[in-house]
Amino acid sequence: MAEVVEVHKDWSGSFPSGKKITVVFVIGGPGSGKGTQCAKIVSHFGFTHLSAGDLLREEVKSDTEQGTMIKNLMHEGKLVPSEIIVRLLLKAMLASGNDKFLIDGFPRNEENREAYEKIIKIEPEFVLLIDCSREEMERRILHRNQGRDDDNMETIRRRFEVFQQSTLPVIQHYEKMGKLRRVDGDRQPDMVFEDVKAVFAQLNTQANQGSNVSRAQTNPFKRWFLDLFCSCFDVADRRN
Ligand SMILES: Nc1ncnc2c1ncn2[C@@H]1O[C@H](COP(=O)(O)OP(=O)(O)O)[C@@H](O)[C@H]1O
Ligand SMILES: O=c1ccn([C@@H]2O[C@H](COP(=O)(O)OP(=O)(O)O)[C@@H](O)[C@H]2O)c(=O)[nH]1
């Protein structure tokens, strides 16, 4: 483990201070349609999509000891150490130059979440959960045909177990925080996206409302004008 940290020592970095970075986590069981919905979100809302699984699969291609370790864990349907995946995410975020990130398939357990909070430290705006029945997820994975080493019955079973045992506590954590947005993923992709779109539209509305308020509050002329307007027409000032 110490070796792993050493290898990635120079990956640390940080975002420019004062820059607002938006992060949304997309979670759901294996085959629930995370990647499919993320592609749609990217084209509608301009996020950078970072799939934790894809970052790990890229890492496997590098002919290193770490690549082999990741390959074996993925083949068994087990989770890769948090430190590795969090560093890969940070590296990809910094390299993208974007300020809006969809992090797909992460965090998968409480340890992942804590490592993210310790290293990247950007609280997600919300967590999108794609809820799908196990039978449907299984059917989709077996028809996925992407040549994935882990899309076989034995590994699929193990991935479902990991989802039940390790990811559910993460879901419960965000639910308690009021950050969970659940959509029914058992329907056709476009129907699922109708609900996903509504969730992301709220994000845009909040951002616009937030920026209007702060602009009005920091511009003395606007503030004076709004105060005058409110007093002339006896309108209660509900801006704060
Ligand atoms: N709503 C859906 N209905 C039917 N098939 C779907 C749906 N969403 C995704 N798929 C298909 O199911 C498979 C798994 O979807 P994917 O997006 O790769 O899931 P995940 O990223 O959650 O593992 C893919 O072959 C995809 O084309
Ligand atoms: O944060 C992560 C994300 C993925 N994985 C590994 O990558 C595999 C595939 O994950 P992916 O999200 O690509 O696919 P899914 O299982 O959701 O279909 C998992 O079973 C894990 O072995 C991991 O260890 N940590």
Side-chain angles (χ1 to χ4, degrees):
M1 190 65 209
E3 224 177 79
V4 168
V5 178
E6 189 63 22
V7 170
H8 298 298
K9 191 168 62 183
D10 54 342
W11 288 3
S12 59
S14 57
F15 295 95
S17 61
K19 191 174 180 187
K20 159 92 175 143
I21 306 288
T22 303
V23 168
V24 171
F25 291 148
V26 180
I27 47 186
S32 57
K34 300 181 292 296
T36 304
Q37 294 301 319
C38 283
K40 293 176 185 291
I41 298 165
V42 167
S43 59
H44 275 73
F45 297 100
F47 277 73
T48 289
H49 173 210
L50 301 174
S51 153
D54 286 351
L55 289 173
L56 291 169
R57 278 182 283 276
E58 269 307 303
E59 211 37 33
V60 167
K61 287 185 194 159
S62 68
D63 194 16
T64 60
E65 216 175 291
Q66 178 172 281
T68 310
M69 188 256 276
I70 296 173
K71 183 182 159 75
N72 292 337
L73 287 170
M74 289 176 89
H75 179 68
E76 290 168 41
K78 293 183 180 160
L79 297 180
V80 167
S82 299
E83 176 90 22
I84 296 180
I85 183 61
V86 172
R87 298 272 174 213
L88 287 174
L89 285 170
L90 178 63
K91 188 184 172 201
M93 287 167 89
L94 291 171
S96 79
N98 199 352
D99 54 5
K100 297 200 303 186
F101 300 98
L102 270 184
I103 303 189
D104 159 5
F106 178 93
R108 281 175 125 94
N109 64 9
E110 285 288 86
E111 196 208 63
N112 276 177
R113 181 178 67 72
E114 283 157 16
Y116 171 92
E117 283 170 5
K118 198 167 128 218
I119 298 171
I120 301 186
K121 304 186 182 93
I122 302 168
E123 209 185 299
E125 293 300 316
F126 58 81
V127 178
L128 177 67
L129 169 65
I130 306 185
D131 219 350
C132 196
S133 64
R134 183 169 166 162
E135 305 77 62
E136 177 64 14
M137 292 193 278
E138 200 173 290
R139 197 186 59 75
R140 289 181 193 171
I141 295 177
L142 293 174
H143 288 91
R144 180 150 58 183
N145 276 336
Q146 284 175 356
R148 271 177 55 174
D149 183 42
D150 56 348
D151 281 353
N152 62 77
M153 238 7 258
E154 204 187 322
T155 312
I156 293 170
R157 202 168 304 124
R158 176 74 193 145
R159 283 154 68 200
F160 281 137
E161 274 168 28
V162 169
F163 181 69
Q164 284 291 329
Q165 284 163 17
S166 307
T167 315
L168 280 190
V170 177
I171 294 170
Q172 284 160 355
H173 170 87
Y174 287 116
E175 190 156 36
K176 257 190 238 146
M177 287 178 76
K179 284 194 177 270
L180 196 72
R181 307 288 181 270
R182 195 186 292 260
V183 296
D184 173 6
D186 256 306
R187 300 159 297 156
Q188 288 301 308
D190 285 341
M191 288 181 70
V192 179
F193 190 59
E194 281 307 305
D195 289 354
V196 170
K197 238 188 329 198
V199 170
F200 278 78
Q202 279 169 14
L203 181 67
N204 280 347
T205 313
Q206 277 164 13
N208 290 338
Q209 279 171 353
S211 60
N212 286 342
V213 168
S214 57
R215 271 202 298 274
Q217 281 171 343
T218 52
N219 180 333
F221 176 72
K222 239 184 204 170
R223 178 87 213 175
W224 169 82
F225 179 79
L226 284 168
D227 285 343
L228 185 70
F229 178 86
C230 291
S231 62
C232 284
F233 294 95
D234 200 27
V235 176
D237 186 352
R238 284 192 219 102
R239 278 167 292 139
N240 296 323

